[in-house]
Amino acid sequence: MDGEEKSIAGALYCLDRDHTCRKLYEGVGISNGMDWSPDRKTMYYIDSMSQQVMCFTFDLSGGAISDPRVLIDFKDEQGLPDGMTVDEEGKLWIAHWDGWQVSRWDPHSGKKIATIAVPAARVTSCAFGGEKYDTLYITTATVGLSDEQLLHQPHAGGIFAIKPGVCGMPSVPYRK
């Protein structure tokens, strides 16, 4: 990806078990959130620059993706899509960079179904954790904020935890 985050110069790659690397998708601006449906047949992917959440048909055994399509167009949303996770019900949780929130989406309808306000503008990511994966951890950033903005956002750069009433799932491990 372009280090200055101005051009579409990136790509999405797969690191295979034998440590070889394959290019899977081109035309990426700012590569961010990635996760899979509970059945591992759909891969979700965020390119913040395009303001889109994409989905692909996914083959877990070979790591192949196909049939790219836009799942969510963020152009009318507050902020840019950044990090993401999926809960056990298959719903997407998306961090809003410069959007003061994390939102929950139904991937079948492409509709936002819930919002969690965050006391910091630059919400970077979210992930489920804890023994039962019932805590949603939310990260934020201070990068690019002025001293005045930081005065109004004393919790910027912090990590937040909330029990949203739904659980996440363990990730699929990478094996050598």
Side-chain angles (χ1 to χ4, degrees), residues 35-40 42 44 71-72 84-93 104-109 113 128 166-169:
D35 209 342
W36 287 261
S37 61
D39 66 5
R40 307 296 190 219
T42 303
Y44 304 107
L71 180 66
I72 302 166
M84 169 178 50
T85 193
V86 174
D87 65 32
E88 67 185 356
E89 296 176 0
K91 305 298 191 268
L92 283 62
W93 293 81
R104 186 177 189 226
W105 296 77
D106 181 334
H108 301 292
S109 68
I113 54 178
F128 284 95
V166 65
C167 296
M169 305 172 298

Side-chain angles (χ1 to χ4, degrees), residues 63-106:
I65 59 174
S66 60
D67 191 25
R69 55 214 179 270
V70 176
L71 180 66
I72 302 166
D73 186 335
F74 242 68
K75 289 182 176 81
D76 293 329
E77 287 297 315
Q78 195 173 6
L80 300 174
D82 205 332
M84 169 178 50
T85 193
V86 174
D87 65 32
E88 67 185 356
E89 296 176 0
K91 305 298 191 268
L92 283 62
W93 293 81
I94 300 173
H96 292 234
W97 176 267
D98 279 340
W100 301 84
Q101 65 186 289
V102 169
S103 55
R104 186 177 189 226
W105 296 77
D106 181 334

Side-chain angles (χ1 to χ4, degrees), residues 30-33 44-48 52-54 81-84 94:
I30 302 173
S31 189
N32 266 310
Y44 304 107
Y45 176 67
I46 291 174
D47 178 352
S48 296
Q52 295 177 334
V53 179
M54 302 288 295
D82 205 332
M84 169 178 50
I94 300 173

